[in-house]
Amino acid sequence: MALSVKHVCTICHKNRISKRAVTWCIECEVLFCEDCQKTHSKKRLSDNHKTMSSEDYHNLPAFMQESGSKCRDHEKKYELYCSFHACPCCVQCITDEHQKCQDLKPLSVILKQVKSSASVQLYEKDLKDVKENLETAINYLKTRISNIYTQKTKAVEEIRYTRKSINDYLNKLEQEILNDLESKHSNLKLNMDSLVQQMKQRASQINQMQIQFTKITQYATDLQIYIGLREIEKTTSQTVKYIEDLKSGDHVIEKNLEVNISSALQSFLQDVKSFGDIVINTTSSTLEINAGRKDQAQNSILKVPAIERIEEIKPSFLTKLTIPKDKNSLRMLACRILPNGELIIHDGNKSQLLLFSKDGIFIKAVVSFIHSTVSACFVRKNTVAVTLGRAYLTNLVDIEKNEVIQTVKLSHQCYGVASDGETLVISSRDSKCTRVNLNDMSHTIIRMILNGMERLACISLFQGNIYGTIPFKNKVCCYKSTGEPLWTFQHQDIVRPVGIALDKHGFVYVASRGNNSVVVVSPDGKTCRTILSEADGIKHPRAIDINNETEMMIVSCKISENSNYDTAGVYKI
């Protein structure tokens, strides 16, 4: 049997020789037989090219096999990506079509983490959601078909029961109304059967994409994944719109069959001209589908987050707090950015909370505490939590009402504190932490696995994990919500770490008090980078916080090397 062109060696085929291909070169975009592959691998320019088996290559979807790393218009390799047009470009493309485009990025940067990006999981979930919505809609319409058949049956029974009390004169009228009933029912059923078939076709398409999805992520190149995900995005977006159009239109409005028997039949048979009317009553649909992502079409995989790599994190200074003269003994144990942009400062010297405007201007003192305070965090709405150390207490404060609204009594001393809006985690001076459910105020003890006399100073929460600093061991740690360690990081750039915060990408920001710097640790706890130093005005930083909605960061530090009080700088990250 002759080999298909797509299964033969590209080089041999050009020489009119049919030899089975065994390898696909990802960079040359050529199929090689065993002999040509050996020659290809020995060449100095191609000995390090990445290859895959021809079988794996042919397992990719057809639209991915048709894609390539070269521009079809100019036969030059794609090197840049235009965010405005959402497409890869070669150098000639820039000259011809993208001269006025501002947001051009190296394609290598865009594709570097494409397989591990959140968008891969996001579109996988989109496929699953769309398929489930289609199945839900199909089952709904099948139920409706069954219901209208039941309604039809009841109408027929009522019609025939009434017919028994009248004479043969009504046979013709009876047949007319039965025909009318059958016609309307058939039309309804036909319309819904047609919708079911349309949905089954779309469901089959989505199902096929799901089957291909695993192959895409296993065998495709980064560029092919990019093109594949764009195709998947297009298909899922169209299907989502199709389902929403169904819901918003009259396709799934419940149309019920009913029969109205003429009252004149009971006494005036000679006047009856009609057996009744078949009517279709319309009510709102009870179909429920998952809402999905409303901005799906706008959330292309190549809309890369503003910060994707640790090297790209570059804070820019915005403002510094203006400290009133009567507050010049301020010792900031915590500083937090509220959702409205205002700043809440925890003064450890006077055990009180102070409120500043987003421009750093003092507004008011919120509340003072009888016991010595240690740390504070934003909880939700107008609520801030403040730990009272050796008093074994944590107070919840309403900063708008200037009052303590609830006191949490714990079995251990209260030091570091963090919240995700649903829970409150409070650390102690030993290996115990307590998680407080803010809905029912129930307590759960978490035993952290620490070495020897190690103690967590400050803590932060991100995606269920607990992050903390151990100052005198120069460590930054990450734990599961149950207390098991995920990773511990030490580096010469981190000295006496105190405050800790995380951005929306999972990068860990640490106030390195011992060497006057702010250091960022990668989400996997393997690398770090100093982003602010003494040259940027950072002196003995203690507290740090990040508002991930506004991408603002606040860092407390001393006014000068010899000063007795602190201030704080606000940055854009």
Side-chain angles (χ1 to χ4, degrees):
M1 181 181 293
L3 291 174
S4 169
V5 172
K6 70 176 184 178
H7 292 290
V8 302
C9 171
T10 306
I11 306 300
C12 294
H13 181 68
K14 289 181 179 179
N15 296 321
R16 298 184 178 180
I17 301 173
S18 295
K19 295 183 71 175
R20 181 176 292 277
V22 295
T23 303
W24 167 261
C25 178
I26 295 172
E27 299 185 42
C28 296
E29 298 181 1
V30 169
L31 285 165
F32 291 115
C33 63
E34 289 186 3
D35 294 335
C36 292
Q37 166 58 21
K38 290 178 182 178
T39 304
H40 174 262
S41 62
K42 289 179 181 179
K43 291 182 179 179
R44 189 170 63 179
L45 295 177
S46 59
D47 60 354
N48 62 346
H49 282 193
K50 294 181 179 179
T51 62
M52 63 191 298
S53 73
S54 61
E55 182 179 351
D56 289 343
Y57 169 72
H58 290 302
N59 278 331
L60 293 172
F63 66 86
M64 283 193 169
Q65 294 182 30
E66 294 170 1
S67 65
S69 61
K70 290 184 179 180
C71 174
R72 293 184 178 181
D73 295 330
H74 306 109
E75 289 299 319
K76 293 184 178 181
K77 191 171 183 178
Y78 289 129
E79 296 181 7
L80 297 169
Y81 176 75
C82 176
S83 297
F84 180 78
H85 292 98
C87 67
C89 315
C90 69
V91 176
Q92 189 63 41
C93 290
I94 305 302
T95 303
D96 293 350
E97 302 174 16
H98 301 273
Q99 289 183 352
K100 296 182 180 180
C101 298
Q102 300 295 320
D103 195 8
L104 292 168
K105 296 181 180 179
L107 187 59
S108 59
V109 173
I110 301 296
L111 300 179
K112 186 173 183 180
Q113 296 178 344
V114 65
K115 282 189 176 180
S116 60
S117 70
S119 295
V120 174
Q121 289 78 26
L122 201 60
Y123 285 114
E124 184 177 21
K125 183 178 183 300
D126 286 342
L127 284 169
K128 179 176 177 292
D129 289 344
V130 171
K131 181 182 177 182
E132 287 179 354
N133 282 342
L134 285 169
E135 290 174 348
T136 299
I138 289 170
N139 290 333
Y140 169 81
L141 287 174
K142 286 182 177 179
T143 301
R144 291 300 310 142
I145 291 172
S146 176
N147 289 343
I148 64 168
Y149 182 80
T150 301
Q151 293 165 359
K152 173 200 169 184
T153 302
K154 290 181 178 180
V156 170
E157 290 175 355
E158 186 176 356
I159 291 167
R160 288 179 176 169
Y161 174 80
T162 305
R163 181 180 177 276
K164 290 177 183 180
S165 63
I166 60 178
N167 57 34
D168 293 341
Y169 168 79
L170 298 178
N171 286 343
K172 180 181 177 181
L173 297 179
E174 177 201 23
Q175 193 59 51
E176 289 176 354
I177 196 166
L178 287 174
N179 290 343
D180 187 24
L181 173 64
E182 190 63 37
S183 173
K184 286 186 169 63
H185 169 263
S186 296
N187 288 335
L188 285 176
K189 184 177 182 299
L190 181 63
N191 290 337
M192 283 187 275
D193 281 338
S194 176
L195 279 176
V196 169
Q197 290 304 315
Q198 291 177 22
M199 291 185 187
K200 283 184 176 179
Q201 290 175 2
R202 290 179 180 267
S204 176
Q205 183 182 13
I206 294 297
N207 188 55
Q208 186 63 31
M209 279 196 167
Q210 277 192 301
I211 294 171
Q212 294 173 343
F213 194 89
T214 301
K215 296 179 181 178
I216 291 173
T217 56
Q218 287 180 349
Y219 307 121
T221 66
D222 291 343
L223 180 58
Q224 289 171 332
I225 289 179
Y226 147 65
I227 296 172
L229 293 179
R230 292 281 295 174
E231 188 69 21
I232 290 171
E233 176 199 7
K234 178 181 177 182
T235 302
T236 54
S237 296
Q238 290 174 347
T239 309
V240 168
K241 185 176 185 305
Y242 172 80
I243 296 173
E244 290 178 342
D245 289 342
L246 274 180
K247 177 70 175 175
S248 61
D250 63 352
H251 299 289
V252 292
I253 293 177
E254 295 187 5
K255 299 178 179 180
N256 302 310
L257 286 169
E258 292 181 7
V259 60
N260 294 330
I261 300 299
S262 172
S263 59
L265 283 174
Q266 305 301 323
S267 55
F268 301 103
L269 296 180
Q270 67 277 16
D271 295 331
V272 173
K273 304 299 181 185
S274 169
F275 208 95
D277 298 312
I278 301 298
V279 295
I280 298 174
N281 292 327
T282 300
T283 60
S284 59
S285 171
T286 57
L287 174 63
E288 294 183 2
I289 60 174
N290 295 328
R293 293 186 293 129
K294 293 297 184 184
D295 58 346
Q296 183 179 8
Q298 288 74 36
N299 280 298
S300 168
I301 187 170
L302 290 181
K303 291 191 175 178
V304 182
I307 296 176
E308 195 173 61
R309 297 181 299 166
I310 198 168
E311 295 83 5
E312 298 177 17
I313 301 175
K314 297 176 182 179
S316 56
F317 177 77
L318 297 178
T319 189
K320 183 176 288 188
L321 298 192
T322 303
I323 309 298
K325 291 183 179 180
D326 62 340
K327 308 291 183 186
N328 60 9
S329 63
L330 194 63
R331 184 167 68 102
M332 293 187 191
L333 298 185
C335 50
R336 300 288 181 251
I337 305 175
L338 302 178
N340 63 2
E342 293 180 341
L343 312 168
I344 195 79
I345 304 302
H346 172 214
D347 179 10
N349 279 341
K350 294 186 178 181
S351 296
Q352 66 178 184
L353 294 177
L354 306 175
L355 186 65
F356 287 75
S357 71
K358 63 179 66 176
D359 299 321
I361 307 301
F362 175 71
I363 298 176
K364 65 179 180 178
V366 177
V367 68
S368 297
F369 303 88
I370 300 175
H371 301 285
S372 295
T373 53
V374 179
S375 188
C377 75
F378 175 75
V379 179
R380 57 189 180 189
K381 295 182 180 178
N382 299 312
T383 306
V384 172
V386 181
T387 55
L388 276 59
R390 297 179 181 178
Y392 290 66
L393 301 174
T394 296
N395 284 340
L396 299 182
V397 179
D398 188 317
I399 57 178
E400 192 172 86
K401 296 180 180 178
N402 296 355
E403 64 181 18
V404 175
I405 57 175
Q406 192 159 10
T407 298
V408 181
K409 175 72 174 177
L410 297 186
S411 61
H412 58 72
Q413 297 179 14
C414 302
Y415 288 91
V417 62
S419 177
D420 58 10
E422 297 295 326
T423 61
L424 198 65
V425 176
I426 305 160
S427 69
S428 66
R429 281 291 172 88
D430 54 29
S431 62
K432 287 192 298 186
C433 288
T434 295
R435 184 184 301 277
V436 180
N437 186 318
L438 294 171
N439 295 318
D440 59 15
M441 302 309 292
S442 59
H443 296 185
T444 303
I445 295 294
I446 305 171
R447 296 195 178 275
M448 315 298 288
I449 300 176
L450 300 168
N451 294 324
M453 299 299 292
E454 291 181 350
R455 300 292 179 264
L456 294 178
C458 296
I459 61 174
S460 186
L461 303 180
F462 183 74
Q463 294 184 349
N465 294 331
I466 303 171
Y467 296 76
T469 54
I470 304 176
F472 297 105
K473 295 293 183 178
N474 301 327
K475 290 183 178 180
V476 180
C477 307
C478 176
Y479 298 86
K480 293 182 181 179
S481 59
T482 50
E484 294 93 340
L486 289 173
W487 53 258
T488 299
F489 182 74
Q490 287 180 287
H491 192 274
Q492 62 184 10
D493 289 350
I494 299 177
V495 183
R496 286 184 62 203
V498 191
I500 186 170
L502 285 92
D503 67 14
K504 62 185 179 182
H505 306 284
F507 288 99
V508 186
Y509 294 64
V510 180
S512 183
R513 189 170 177 80
N515 62 351
N516 302 320
S517 64
V518 174
V519 180
V520 177
V521 180
S522 61
D524 58 5
K526 293 182 178 180
T527 60
C528 73
R529 175 172 168 266
T530 298
I531 58 170
L532 292 173
S533 65
E534 194 168 359
D536 301 297
I538 301 296
K539 297 179 177 65
H540 302 291
R542 185 195 306 271
I544 187 170
D545 187 42
I546 294 173
N547 184 320
N548 285 323
E549 294 296 324
T550 60
E551 296 186 333
M552 308 294 282
M553 177 176 73
I554 183 171
V555 181
S556 73
C557 57
K558 288 191 176 295
I559 292 291
S560 63
E561 190 67 36
N562 300 317
S563 69
N564 294 322
Y565 67 98
D566 296 338
T567 184
V570 181
Y571 302 81
K572 179 74 173 180
I573 58 173

